[in-house]
Amino acid sequence: MPGAERQPDVIVVGAGVVGLSAALALQARGLSVTVLDREGPAAGASAGNAGAFAFTDILPLASPGILRKAPKWLLDPLGPLSVPPAYALRIAPWMFRFWRACSPGRVAQSTAAQTALMDLSKAELEPFLAATGTIGMLRKDGNLQVYESEAELNASLPGWRARAEHGIEFRHMKADEMADIQPGIAPRFTHGTFTPGWYSIADPKLYTLALAERFIANGGSIERAEVSALRPVDNGVDVIAGTPRRAGHVVLAAGAFSHRIARSFGERIPLETERGYNTTLPADALDLSTQVTFGGHGFVVTRLSTGIRVGGAVELGGLSLPPNFKRSEAMLKKAKTFLPGLKTGGGTQWMGFRPSMPDSLPAIGRARATPRVTYAFGHGHLGLTQSAGTARLVADLITGQPPAINMTPFSPQRF
C-alpha cells in the first residue's frame, strides 16, 4: 500500500473527547498515532455538552423508573424524552432491547458496571489533566438536583440509596438550604439534593481543542477525512477514507457514526442517537454557583467559562432528521420560569448526536472480525465523564496490559 512505510502504530477514528483522550493515552505508551475525523476536533457532542464529569451518575437510563415516566414524557413532543413519528418504526428494535435492559436484574448489573467505569474514570481524570496541561480547566462546584415536592424527592430515594452503597456523598435539603447554595430558584422547588463530588470542565469544546493541541505537540497528526470502511489485513487494518491508509491497530471512536463503520466489516452494533439540544447564553445571564439539575423536566443549567448553558433532554431521532430547535426553546422557557433571574437573550442554539446503547453502557473492546480494531463508543451523555477511564482501557487493550476493570459488561458483542 502507498505510504505503508510511514504507517502509524494506531489510527484513531474520531476527534471527539473520547478519541483524543485515547490517542493521548496511546502516545503516552510510546505508540505513534494518527487521528482521522470527518469534521475535525470537537465538532460533535464533545463541543455542546453540559461540561460535567458526572461520576455520581451510576444509574443507567434504562431502568424501571424511566419506564414509569416514559408514557407521560412521550406524549409531550417537546418533553424530556421524545421519538419523532418519522423515526418510530426504525428505532423499534432498539427500544425493545432498551425495554429488556430495564429489568431489575439487568439494571443491577449495569449499575455495577457503570460504577466500576465511573470509579476508574474519576481516578484517571486528574492525572490525565495534569499530563495534558489542562488541570486548570477543572472545577469542583457540585450539582444541585431539585424537586417540586417531597413526593418527588421520595420517589428518587432508591437511586440515592444505590449511590450511598457505592460511597457517593450527597445531602438532601429543603428550600432554605438550597437557597444558601444557589439563590433564586423558584419556590415551586421545595426539596433538593446536593452532590459535592460533581466535577465539571470550564468549557468542553475548549477542553477538547486543548487535547488536540497537546496531541499534535506530542508528534501526533490529525487529518480531516471521512472514514467509510475498515478492512482487516495481515498485520494491520486498512482504513478507507479517500486515500487508503494502514495502521497496525485502529480505535473506532466515531461517536454516533461508529456503528456505520463497524458494519463495513460485518458487525452490527445496536447503537442509536440521543439528539441533545441546548442554548448557551452570555456569561452574565445568571449568577450561577453550581450546576442545577431539573430532573423531572430533563435538563440542566450549568456555568461555563464561555456562558450559561441550558440543555439536555433525549430525542431518539437518528442522524438524518433535521433539528427541532423548538426543544431548545421549550427548555429555555422553562429555565426562565424555574430561575426567574435568568436573562434569556443573546443565546446560541445547538443540537448534537450522543451515541447510546440500549443498556446505557458503552461498547469498549475488540471487534469480532479482528483484535486489531478496538471499539470505544456508545457513552450516551457520559462521553466526557468516562473519557479518561475509556482511554486507559483502550491503551491497556492495545498494549496487551490487563484491563483495570472487568471488561465483560462492555463487550461490543453482548447483544
Side-chain angles (χ1 to χ4, degrees), residues 38 109 113 145 233 245 319 373:
R38 58 198 295 271
Q109 293 171 1
Q145 168 92 33
V233 296
R245 298 162 171 86
L319 295 167
V373 173

Side-chain angles (χ1 to χ4, degrees), residues 29-103:
R29 303 281 179 102
L31 300 178
S32 61
V33 185
T34 294
V35 174
L36 305 181
D37 192 276
R38 58 198 295 271
E39 295 182 272
S46 296
N49 62 69
F53 294 105
F55 299 123
T56 63
D57 268 9
I58 62 172
L59 304 178
L61 179 64
S63 66
I66 200 72
L67 287 183
R68 288 192 294 270
K69 296 175 181 177
K72 176 184 175 183
W73 283 354
L74 287 170
L75 290 173
D76 180 0
L78 300 179
L81 174 63
S82 72
V83 179
Y87 201 70
L89 186 62
R90 186 169 178 180
I91 201 175
W94 188 94
M95 293 295 289
F96 177 71
R97 289 187 173 101
F98 180 88
W99 173 76
R100 291 187 63 187
C102 290
S103 69

